[in-house]
Amino acid sequence: MKRFVLFLCVVVVLLAIGGTGAFLWAEGQLRSPMAPPGAAPVEFTVPKGTSGRGLGTLLASQGLIRDARIWRWLLFRRGAFSPKAGRHEVSPSMTMAELAAALEDNPIPEDVPFVVVEGWRLRDTDAALTAAGLITAGAYIAEASTPGKFTAPFPLPSAGTLEGYLYPETYGILPGKLDVHQLIQRQLDMFAERFFAPNRAGLTKSGRTLHEVVIMASMLEREEPLPEQRPLVAGILWKRVDKGFPLGVDATSRYELAQWNDRIAFLKRLRDTQDPYNTRHRKGLPPSPIGAPTVASLQAAMTPKPSDFWYYLHDAERKLHPSRNADEHEALRKKYNVY
């Protein structure tokens, strides 16, 4: 009987020691983050309807905790736990307790899409941002008028504005927290990603400077609605530039108008022979890009299609009609009533 009692005592002691060891190990895990201090923050999404216990598996799969069982131990010890659905900024340097607190905090606000339309001028983007209540009028233009404040893997204009280099795309913006400088830098980064980086060799081979290509592309964006036709139009326009002929691109005379479709102001510009953007009278490229071109226009400007054509026009349905000489062009003008 004494031996049996002694045996039970030994078992109880061993269980106590084992339980104490397991407790201390679990407590140590709670205080031991996955990474040393200073690890880069990451986004972790709490799905709607996910239980606190269910988050343990997600946290472990993303390398934020070692063991979902220890997460459940934390929740047992902690008691109440009310994570908020949405995106949270956390770090592998956080302990489990810190992670739990972070997931109960307010999530990162959801951004809203803001569309920079193909061909838009700086003034058009500025007006749209102002109308959306994201900036005060003129803030976007003012920031884009200081190219030296930005970085890019390609040469930025040394003077003037960033017209033509701010890529048209849909950008996610946090309401009430728009940093205009950051938005413009994102647009420059997008220009580099979409066009410059993949086409560096092509630019060198083209024999044109990047700025010349951007100017030509901005005209193509406004001149030719069909991307597949833009290389042909580019070939015609580059020939006219190289031979010293006026381009005759009426879109350039709209560039400085307050409203692009103001017909009365546009016709007045067409008659102004001193307007530097009047390419009916002035030879060569206009002084600057006239809007934001897409990759299709930039590639067309960089790799124009050779042809025998010297002129072109669009009919009322915006269909392209190229011609080889002035007589053919004039006949097409009469046929489609384009003047």
Side-chain angles (χ1 to χ4, degrees):
M1 184 65 180
K2 291 183 178 179
R3 288 184 178 181
F4 179 71
V5 172
L6 179 61
F7 172 77
L8 287 178
C9 290
V10 170
V11 169
V12 170
V13 170
L14 290 174
L15 288 174
I17 293 172
T20 301
F23 174 80
L24 293 174
W25 175 81
E27 288 294 305
Q29 291 294 303
L30 290 178
R31 294 190 294 271
S32 178
M34 292 289 288
V42 296
E43 280 190 12
F44 177 80
T45 300
V46 176
K48 290 183 179 179
T50 304
S51 66
R53 290 168 63 90
L55 287 178
T57 302
L58 295 176
L59 290 164
S61 68
Q62 296 186 31
L64 291 167
I65 63 173
R66 291 185 177 84
D67 194 326
R69 293 171 298 176
I70 304 303
W71 175 258
R72 291 195 293 270
W73 169 246
L74 169 73
L75 298 184
F76 172 77
R77 284 195 53 213
R78 200 173 187 271
F81 176 59
S82 302
K84 294 183 178 178
R87 297 176 299 134
H88 296 261
E89 185 177 279
V90 296
S91 168
S93 298
M94 290 180 172
T95 65
M96 285 194 186
E98 290 170 336
L99 283 169
L103 298 182
E104 286 186 311
D105 203 353
N106 291 326
I108 299 170
E110 293 298 324
D111 54 24
V112 295
F114 177 77
V115 180
V116 180
V117 177
E118 297 91 339
W120 266 7
R121 303 165 293 174
L122 295 179
R123 68 168 67 217
D124 300 319
T125 304
D126 189 280
L129 288 168
T130 302
L134 294 168
I135 63 168
T136 56
Y140 181 83
I141 293 175
E143 193 69 15
S145 298
T146 54
K149 294 168 65 174
F150 298 90
T151 60
F154 50 84
L156 293 173
S158 57
T161 72
L162 291 170
E163 189 78 86
Y165 293 87
L166 304 183
Y167 197 78
E169 183 56 273
T170 300
Y171 295 90
I173 293 175
L174 295 177
K177 294 185 178 181
L178 176 62
D179 184 322
V180 176
H181 181 92
Q182 185 182 68
L183 172 61
I184 291 175
Q185 185 62 59
R186 287 169 65 191
Q187 291 183 273
L188 289 171
D189 294 343
M190 188 68 74
F191 183 97
E193 176 186 331
R194 294 286 182 85
F195 175 69
F196 182 73
N199 292 285
R200 296 184 76 158
L203 278 167
T204 301
K205 186 178 179 180
S206 74
R208 311 284 180 182
T209 67
L210 174 62
H211 197 59
E212 290 170 338
V213 167
V214 172
I215 292 175
M216 178 60 73
S218 71
M219 292 189 290
L220 295 174
E221 194 70 44
R222 286 291 190 172
E223 277 288 281
E224 177 49 56
L226 298 178
E228 61 268 26
Q229 294 279 33
R230 290 173 192 167
L232 176 61
V233 175
I236 295 171
L237 294 179
W238 279 128
K239 276 202 301 187
R240 297 181 71 84
V241 168
D242 295 340
K243 293 296 183 180
F245 296 166
L247 291 176
V249 176
D250 288 350
T252 60
S253 292
R254 295 182 183 272
Y255 174 61
E256 293 187 310
L257 300 181
Q259 298 297 326
W260 184 271
N261 292 319
D262 186 339
R263 181 166 176 77
I264 294 176
F266 166 61
L267 293 175
K268 183 179 179 180
R269 286 276 184 173
L270 285 182
R271 294 190 294 269
D272 184 359
T273 59
Q274 301 305 308
D275 178 9
Y277 285 92
N278 189 332
T279 54
R280 283 195 180 189
H281 298 282
R282 299 255 172 175
K283 299 177 182 179
L285 295 171
S288 74
I290 63 169
T294 57
V295 164
S297 294
L298 289 160
Q299 290 178 331
M302 181 183 67
T303 54
K305 180 180 178 179
S307 73
D308 295 330
F309 301 121
W310 285 86
Y311 302 84
Y312 67 90
L313 57 79
H314 292 87
D315 61 26
E317 297 179 352
R318 298 293 290 153
K319 183 179 179 181
L320 179 69
H321 298 278
S323 48
R324 290 168 294 185
N325 53 56
D327 290 339
E328 286 185 5
H329 185 60
E330 188 61 29
L332 288 172
R333 283 162 63 99
K334 291 179 179 178
K335 178 178 180 179
Y336 296 106
N337 193 31
V338 177
Y339 292 95

